[in-house]
Amino acid sequence: MTPLLQTAAGPMRRHGLHLVGMAVVTVLLAVAFVWAEHFYIRYLIAERKATVAVTAVNVASALSSAVNERLALVRGLTAFVDVEARAGALDDRFAAFAEGLRRSVPGVRNISTAPHFVVANVYPLESNKKVIGNALLSDPRPGFAETVQRALVSGDVTVHGPVDLIQGGRGLIARQIVFGPDRPWGAVGMVFDLQPILDDARLDALPADLSFLLRAESGVVVAGDASVLRNAPITESITLTDGTWEFSLAPRAGWMAAARADRAYAAFVAAFTLLALMTEALAHLVLSRRQTLERLVVRRTRELDSANRELERFAYVTAHDLQEPLRAIASYTQLLERHFAGSVDEEGADFIRQIVDGAARLKMLLRDVQLFLAEDRVALSVKPVPVEDAAQAALVALANRVRETGATVTVEAMPAVMADERRLREILVVLLGNAIEYRHPYRATEITIAHRRLANQDVIDVRDNGIGIEPQYREQIFEVFRRLHSREQHPGTGMGLAIARKMAERMGGRITVESSPGIGSTFSLVLPHSRLRGLS
């Protein structure tokens, strides 16, 4: 080989070694990124699933409440018909009672009674006249007669639907049997619009990147997009009287795409890219240093020392910023190791029970926090509201609790007040529920709802003979999360009275309390009534 070729071969060999070294560093960085991204994506997906699960639980709870609130009306209708039919006054009092039911929740399309299973009364009569005379047990439409047969067998409310309604839209049909002394008297029915039920669950407020599906036990789609089932959705069951619905929720683009769209993922990629660039730069400096080491040992040493110090400072800052995702990756790796180590022992089962109990409490807490935070954003509709109707609606909501405790609730005659109908009902539910929960352990529970009028105010009093409240705690009980007793003694989130007070203040009123420990308490809802003078 000539001296010229030998002179050229040395730089070429050194250049080739430099390229190989940089290629090796690049491959190692790529492998490290794939490994780190794999675990970080799994961490982001787990976080996302936890968030979606909380949302699904809240929506399913709201849907369950909306549907069962309406089914409770059917039970009330059954009880009414049973009493009035025996007294022979059903035809005279049906319309007035049906109107009261229609006003209690939105979306009641019609209400009917069918003695001998032939429709005889329907309210409102307009647009529903064709229903009169319909024989329920021989109705040829799919599912209609079967719903009545199921009600005969179960003795409870049965639900049919969703079905396309003649008047337009989709709805649910609920039936219940009225039993006579020796044979069924007939049936009652209520038709509910589907959309107000969905509106109660605030499905329109779901994040834009989420898709949902609500379907019946039979697989019939109630609402939403069936394609969500392809994305491994989070699913919650909604229990009805004679079956279940399933509410499924998942990102529209899938869990992986949702994780990659997360800003935390973008920050992770940016941080790793910066670290990789600095590592490449360091590798380049180290490899390049060998090419000129003989001539520039001293100068290059100083330059590399300076560069190393800068790299160390950068690496420290970068490592600090990456601690959180790396900690998450380590945690999930340990969880995976434990998960595949063997079967769950008693301690593991106890952990699971703790998680389930915590999830249940979290569900209630979130629901109440949402209510508290959303109160100022929910529209206010103040109008004359009969207090007795609101009180009866509250008692319907608490019917099981009243029955379980044997409480006696007296609703005195009361006028209409200027209020938001939903808020007034919810406040009474809170105050009645509070009176029942903190009842005296050694005497029968007695609660009275009464009205009195002051100079410029309507006052609704809820009086009980419970355990009472010490004077120093009478304001604290209205604070968020304030509890005077342990959760084991009295379960709950500690937010009910705070929510009730906030609702009262939104209507321009307030809630006060007077109490004698050991004797009982009186919670007073005070509302302005100046606009009602012309209605008194």
Side-chain angles (χ1 to χ4, degrees):
M1 183 177 291
T2 64
L4 180 61
L5 291 176
Q6 288 177 343
T7 303
M12 290 178 64
R13 185 171 56 254
R14 289 194 296 270
H15 184 67
L17 291 174
H18 181 274
L19 291 177
V20 170
M22 293 301 297
V24 170
V25 171
T26 301
V27 170
L28 290 175
L29 287 171
V31 171
F33 176 78
V34 171
W35 180 85
E37 186 209 32
H38 169 73
F39 284 101
Y40 195 56
I41 284 288
R42 294 183 71 171
Y43 162 71
L44 291 177
I45 289 175
E47 267 200 339
R48 182 67 168 162
K49 284 187 175 182
T51 302
V52 171
V54 170
T55 302
V57 167
N58 290 335
V59 173
S61 175
L63 283 168
S64 177
S65 297
V67 173
N68 285 292
E69 180 182 13
R70 287 159 174 81
L71 298 185
L73 297 182
V74 180
R75 296 187 181 95
L77 175 63
T78 301
F80 168 79
V81 171
D82 185 27
V83 172
E84 298 302 328
R86 294 175 189 273
L90 177 60
D91 292 341
D92 295 333
R93 301 188 60 186
F94 172 72
F97 185 80
E99 174 60 22
L101 291 181
R102 286 192 75 199
R103 288 189 303 168
S104 61
V105 295
V108 177
R109 185 65 67 91
N110 66 57
I111 303 169
S112 63
T113 65
H116 308 297
F117 300 99
V118 176
V119 177
N121 289 307
V122 64
Y123 186 88
L125 188 59
E126 296 78 8
S127 75
N128 292 296
K129 293 181 179 179
K130 292 182 179 179
V131 178
I132 300 296
N134 181 38
L136 300 182
L137 293 176
S138 59
D139 194 314
R141 291 173 294 178
F144 280 73
E146 180 197 0
T147 304
V148 182
Q149 293 288 356
R150 284 190 286 116
L152 279 166
V153 174
S154 69
D156 201 353
V157 180
T158 54
V159 179
H160 175 48
V163 297
D164 294 325
L165 301 176
I166 297 174
Q167 301 92 331
R170 306 187 79 202
L172 303 176
I173 300 175
R175 303 279 188 194
Q176 188 171 18
I177 305 303
V178 179
F179 290 93
D182 52 357
R183 61 177 181 173
W185 174 89
V188 299
M190 295 182 70
V191 179
F192 303 102
D193 285 320
L194 180 61
Q195 191 57 49
I197 297 176
L198 303 180
D199 292 342
D200 284 354
R202 299 297 305 278
L203 291 172
D204 58 339
L206 286 173
D209 65 325
L210 295 181
S211 181
F212 77 91
L213 173 65
L214 179 62
R215 60 177 179 169
E217 191 173 18
S218 62
V220 175
V221 174
V222 179
D225 182 5
S227 66
V228 73
L229 297 177
R230 296 197 294 265
N231 292 330
I234 302 295
T235 299
E236 286 291 326
S237 294
I238 301 168
T239 302
L240 306 180
T241 54
D242 62 335
T244 59
W245 284 356
E246 284 189 349
F247 178 75
S248 301
L249 192 63
R252 295 180 185 277
W255 297 105
M256 183 70 74
R260 293 183 187 277
D262 195 306
R263 284 184 293 182
Y265 176 77
F268 165 78
V269 172
F272 195 96
T273 301
L274 286 173
L275 182 62
L277 288 175
M278 293 306 302
T279 303
E280 291 271 11
L282 178 60
H284 175 73
L285 289 173
V286 171
L287 293 172
S288 297
R289 175 174 173 268
R290 298 184 59 184
Q291 298 180 18
T292 59
L293 185 60
E294 295 80 5
R295 294 186 298 110
L296 303 172
V297 171
V298 176
R299 186 162 63 91
R300 288 300 186 189
T301 300
R302 290 196 299 266
E303 290 176 355
L304 286 173
D305 286 341
S306 176
N308 284 335
R309 285 193 296 271
E310 292 297 322
L311 286 171
E312 287 173 359
R313 285 194 292 271
F314 177 82
Y316 177 83
V317 174
T318 303
H320 182 272
D321 291 340
L322 285 174
Q323 282 180 3
E324 187 60 32
L326 291 177
R327 188 180 298 114
I329 290 171
S331 298
Y332 274 85
T333 303
Q334 293 172 2
L335 289 174
L336 287 174
E337 180 180 3
R338 295 172 185 173
H339 176 74
F340 291 108
S343 60
V344 177
D345 57 12
E346 181 58 30
E347 184 179 16
D350 185 60
F351 289 160
I352 293 173
R353 286 193 293 271
Q354 293 283 354
I355 293 171
V356 171
D357 292 343
R361 291 195 299 271
L362 179 60
K363 173 182 172 182
M364 292 191 299
L365 179 61
L366 286 175
R367 179 200 63 195
D368 285 354
V369 169
Q370 289 176 324
L371 285 174
F372 186 80
L373 294 178
E375 176 57 29
D376 291 333
R377 298 191 293 272
V378 177
L380 186 67
S381 176
V382 175
K383 59 184 179 180
V385 178
V387 181
E388 290 183 58
D389 289 353
Q392 292 299 335
L395 286 174
V396 169
L398 295 168
N400 289 340
R401 196 80 178 103
V402 173
R403 183 172 57 255
E404 290 170 359
T405 59
T408 300
V409 181
T410 302
V411 179
E412 296 185 356
M414 292 177 283
V417 299
M418 289 300 295
D420 180 286
E421 184 175 1
R422 180 187 67 82
R423 286 179 171 87
L424 178 58
R425 181 178 69 250
E426 292 299 327
I427 290 172
L428 291 176
V429 168
V430 170
L431 298 184
L432 285 170
N434 193 70
I436 294 171
E437 179 63 33
Y438 295 95
R439 62 193 180 275
H440 199 283
Y442 303 122
R443 58 172 174 256
T445 302
E446 296 180 357
I447 305 170
T448 301
I449 306 175
H451 171 273
R452 53 194 169 93
R453 181 160 293 177
L454 302 179
N456 293 309
Q457 298 168 325
D458 280 297
V459 182
I460 302 169
D461 293 324
V462 178
R463 297 191 297 268
D464 65 61
N465 63 342
I467 61 176
I469 306 165
E470 296 290 342
Q472 64 269 30
Y473 300 126
R474 291 177 191 169
E475 280 302 313
Q476 295 183 21
I477 60 175
F478 292 101
E479 297 175 9
V480 176
F481 303 127
R482 175 65 68 175
R483 303 178 61 91
L484 302 184
H485 304 272
S486 68
R487 184 174 286 107
E488 288 72 19
Q489 290 177 301
H490 297 285
T493 63
M495 290 193 65
L497 289 175
I499 294 170
R501 172 170 276 190
K502 193 170 185 182
M503 286 182 173
E505 291 172 351
R506 184 74 192 284
M507 294 187 292
R510 67 185 188 279
I511 296 178
T512 62
V513 61
E514 294 293 333
S515 182
S516 298
I519 297 176
S521 303
T522 298
F523 284 82
S524 298
L525 171 61
V526 183
L527 295 171
H529 81 273
S530 57
R531 287 171 289 179
L532 263 177
R533 287 176 178 169
L535 301 171
S536 299

PDB file of all heavy atoms in Angstrom, residues 146-161:
ATOM      1  N   GLU A 146     -96.631  -8.928  26.624  1.00  0.00           N
ATOM      2  CA  GLU A 146     -95.638  -9.630  27.441  1.00  0.00           C
ATOM      3  C   GLU A 146     -95.273  -8.811  28.678  1.00  0.00           C
ATOM      4  O   GLU A 146     -95.053  -9.374  29.753  1.00  0.00           O
ATOM      5  CB  GLU A 146     -94.379  -9.899  26.612  1.00  0.00           C
ATOM      6  CG  GLU A 146     -93.296 -10.616  27.386  1.00  0.00           C
ATOM      7  CD  GLU A 146     -91.934 -10.506  26.718  1.00  0.00           C
ATOM      8  OE1 GLU A 146     -91.834  -9.870  25.646  1.00  0.00           O
ATOM      9  OE2 GLU A 146     -90.982 -11.036  27.300  1.00  0.00           O
ATOM     10  N   THR A 147     -95.211  -7.488  28.526  1.00  0.00           N
ATOM     11  CA  THR A 147     -94.891  -6.630  29.675  1.00  0.00           C
ATOM     12  C   THR A 147     -95.936  -6.796  30.776  1.00  0.00           C
ATOM     13  O   THR A 147     -95.608  -6.848  31.968  1.00  0.00           O
ATOM     14  CB  THR A 147     -94.814  -5.164  29.228  1.00  0.00           C
ATOM     15  OG1 THR A 147     -93.862  -5.047  28.182  1.00  0.00           O
ATOM     16  CG2 THR A 147     -94.410  -4.265  30.384  1.00  0.00           C
ATOM     17  N   VAL A 148     -97.218  -6.876  30.402  1.00  0.00           N
ATOM     18  CA  VAL A 148     -98.286  -7.059  31.383  1.00  0.00           C
ATOM     19  C   VAL A 148     -98.181  -8.438  32.029  1.00  0.00           C
ATOM     20  O   VAL A 148     -98.364  -8.590  33.242  1.00  0.00           O
ATOM     21  CB  VAL A 148     -99.662  -6.867  30.720  1.00  0.00           C
ATOM     22  CG1 VAL A 148    -100.781  -7.017  31.748  1.00  0.00           C
ATOM     23  CG2 VAL A 148     -99.748  -5.501  30.058  1.00  0.00           C
ATOM     24  N   GLN A 149     -97.872  -9.456  31.221  1.00  0.00           N
ATOM     25  CA  GLN A 149     -97.741 -10.806  31.769  1.00  0.00           C
ATOM     26  C   GLN A 149     -96.593 -10.870  32.785  1.00  0.00           C
ATOM     27  O   GLN A 149     -96.704 -11.497  33.845  1.00  0.00           O
ATOM     28  CB  GLN A 149     -97.468 -11.809  30.632  1.00  0.00           C
ATOM     29  CG  GLN A 149     -98.637 -11.990  29.668  1.00  0.00           C
ATOM     30  CD  GLN A 149     -99.788 -12.762  30.297  1.00  0.00           C
ATOM     31  OE1 GLN A 149     -99.694 -13.224  31.424  1.00  0.00           O
ATOM     32  NE2 GLN A 149    -100.889 -12.893  29.566  1.00  0.00           N
ATOM     33  N   ARG A 150     -95.470 -10.198  32.469  1.00  0.00           N
ATOM     34  CA  ARG A 150     -94.354 -10.181  33.415  1.00  0.00           C
ATOM     35  C   ARG A 150     -94.737  -9.464  34.700  1.00  0.00           C
ATOM     36  O   ARG A 150     -94.304  -9.838  35.799  1.00  0.00           O
ATOM     37  CB  ARG A 150     -93.140  -9.509  32.777  1.00  0.00           C
ATOM     38  CG  ARG A 150     -92.428 -10.410  31.775  1.00  0.00           C
ATOM     39  CD  ARG A 150     -91.091  -9.835  31.333  1.00  0.00           C
ATOM     40  NE  ARG A 150     -91.248  -8.718  30.431  1.00  0.00           N
ATOM     41  CZ  ARG A 150     -90.869  -7.470  30.677  1.00  0.00           C
ATOM     42  NH1 ARG A 150     -90.325  -7.180  31.844  1.00  0.00           N
ATOM     43  NH2 ARG A 150     -91.032  -6.508  29.796  1.00  0.00           N
ATOM     44  N   ALA A 151     -95.547  -8.415  34.584  1.00  0.00           N
ATOM     45  CA  ALA A 151     -95.996  -7.689  35.779  1.00  0.00           C
ATOM     46  C   ALA A 151     -96.893  -8.571  36.635  1.00  0.00           C
ATOM     47  O   ALA A 151     -96.853  -8.506  37.864  1.00  0.00           O
ATOM     48  CB  ALA A 151     -96.723  -6.414  35.373  1.00  0.00           C
ATOM     49  N   LEU A 152     -97.713  -9.420  35.997  1.00  0.00           N
ATOM     50  CA  LEU A 152     -98.567 -10.344  36.744  1.00  0.00           C
ATOM     51  C   LEU A 152     -97.725 -11.340  37.534  1.00  0.00           C
ATOM     52  O   LEU A 152     -98.045 -11.688  38.671  1.00  0.00           O
ATOM     53  CB  LEU A 152     -99.494 -11.093  35.779  1.00  0.00           C
ATOM     54  CG  LEU A 152    -100.750 -10.347  35.309  1.00  0.00           C
ATOM     55  CD1 LEU A 152    -101.370 -11.050  34.117  1.00  0.00           C
ATOM     56  CD2 LEU A 152    -101.748 -10.236  36.465  1.00  0.00           C
ATOM     57  N   VAL A 153     -96.632 -11.803  36.941  1.00  0.00           N
ATOM     58  CA  VAL A 153     -95.793 -12.804  37.595  1.00  0.00           C
ATOM     59  C   VAL A 153     -94.953 -12.183  38.711  1.00  0.00           C
ATOM     60  O   VAL A 153     -94.862 -12.704  39.812  1.00  0.00           O
ATOM     61  CB  VAL A 153     -94.876 -13.494  36.565  1.00  0.00           C
ATOM     62  CG1 VAL A 153     -93.890 -14.428  37.266  1.00  0.00           C
ATOM     63  CG2 VAL A 153     -95.717 -14.273  35.564  1.00  0.00           C
ATOM     64  N   SER A 154     -94.333 -11.024  38.404  1.00  0.00           N
ATOM     65  CA  SER A 154     -93.397 -10.413  39.363  1.00  0.00           C
ATOM     66  C   SER A 154     -94.095  -9.660  40.484  1.00  0.00           C
ATOM     67  O   SER A 154     -93.561  -9.534  41.591  1.00  0.00           O
ATOM     68  CB  SER A 154     -92.456  -9.457  38.632  1.00  0.00           C
ATOM     69  OG  SER A 154     -93.164  -8.311  38.169  1.00  0.00           O
ATOM     70  N   GLY A 155     -95.281  -9.116  40.215  1.00  0.00           N
ATOM     71  CA  GLY A 155     -95.962  -8.293  41.209  1.00  0.00           C
ATOM     72  C   GLY A 155     -95.358  -6.915  41.368  1.00  0.00           C
ATOM     73  O   GLY A 155     -95.751  -6.159  42.254  1.00  0.00           O
ATOM     74  N   ASP A 156     -94.391  -6.567  40.505  1.00  0.00           N
ATOM     75  CA  ASP A 156     -93.730  -5.259  40.600  1.00  0.00           C
ATOM     76  C   ASP A 156     -93.832  -4.561  39.249  1.00  0.00           C
ATOM     77  O   ASP A 156     -94.442  -5.078  38.309  1.00  0.00           O
ATOM     78  CB  ASP A 156     -92.262  -5.440  41.017  1.00  0.00           C
ATOM     79  CG  ASP A 156     -91.669  -4.183  41.626  1.00  0.00           C
ATOM     80  OD1 ASP A 156     -92.344  -3.136  41.608  1.00  0.00           O
ATOM     81  OD2 ASP A 156     -90.524  -4.240  42.109  1.00  0.00           O
ATOM     82  N   VAL A 157     -93.206  -3.414  39.166  1.00  0.00           N
ATOM     83  CA  VAL A 157     -93.228  -2.638  37.934  1.00  0.00           C
ATOM     84  C   VAL A 157     -92.383  -3.342  36.881  1.00  0.00           C
ATOM     85  O   VAL A 157     -91.280  -3.818  37.168  1.00  0.00           O
ATOM     86  CB  VAL A 157     -92.682  -1.218  38.177  1.00  0.00           C
ATOM     87  CG1 VAL A 157     -92.711  -0.416  36.874  1.00  0.00           C
ATOM     88  CG2 VAL A 157     -93.489  -0.504  39.246  1.00  0.00           C
ATOM     89  N   THR A 158     -92.887  -3.435  35.657  1.00  0.00           N
ATOM     90  CA  THR A 158     -92.121  -3.960  34.538  1.00  0.00           C
ATOM     91  C   THR A 158     -91.975  -2.855  33.492  1.00  0.00           C
ATOM     92  O   THR A 158     -92.823  -1.978  33.370  1.00  0.00           O
ATOM     93  CB  THR A 158     -92.792  -5.187  33.910  1.00  0.00           C
ATOM     94  OG1 THR A 158     -94.146  -4.854  33.555  1.00  0.00           O
ATOM     95  CG2 THR A 158     -92.803  -6.348  34.886  1.00  0.00           C
ATOM     96  N   VAL A 159     -90.881  -2.941  32.738  1.00  0.00           N
ATOM     97  CA  VAL A 159     -90.533  -1.884  31.790  1.00  0.00           C
ATOM     98  C   VAL A 159     -90.436  -2.474  30.399  1.00  0.00           C
ATOM     99  O   VAL A 159     -89.844  -3.540  30.197  1.00  0.00           O
ATOM    100  CB  VAL A 159     -89.204  -1.203  32.177  1.00  0.00           C
ATOM    101  CG1 VAL A 159     -88.856  -0.120  31.164  1.00  0.00           C
ATOM    102  CG2 VAL A 159     -89.290  -0.623  33.575  1.00  0.00           C
ATOM    103  N   HIS A 160     -90.999  -1.781  29.436  1.00  0.00           N
ATOM    104  CA  HIS A 160     -90.926  -2.172  28.035  1.00  0.00           C
ATOM    105  C   HIS A 160     -90.315  -1.025  27.249  1.00  0.00           C
ATOM    106  O   HIS A 160     -90.730   0.120  27.389  1.00  0.00           O
ATOM    107  CB  HIS A 160     -92.326  -2.499  27.501  1.00  0.00           C
ATOM    108  CG  HIS A 160     -92.352  -2.802  26.028  1.00  0.00           C
ATOM    109  ND1 HIS A 160     -91.461  -3.665  25.447  1.00  0.00           N
ATOM    110  CD2 HIS A 160     -93.166  -2.340  25.038  1.00  0.00           C
ATOM    111  CE1 HIS A 160     -91.743  -3.742  24.149  1.00  0.00           C
ATOM    112  NE2 HIS A 160     -92.761  -2.944  23.875  1.00  0.00           N
ATOM    113  N   GLY A 161     -89.346  -1.328  26.445  1.00  0.00           N
ATOM    114  CA  GLY A 161     -88.772  -0.276  25.636  1.00  0.00           C
ATOM    115  C   GLY A 161     -87.254  -0.314  25.655  1.00  0.00           C
ATOM    116  O   GLY A 161     -86.652  -1.206  26.246  1.00  0.00           O
TER     117      GLY A 161
END
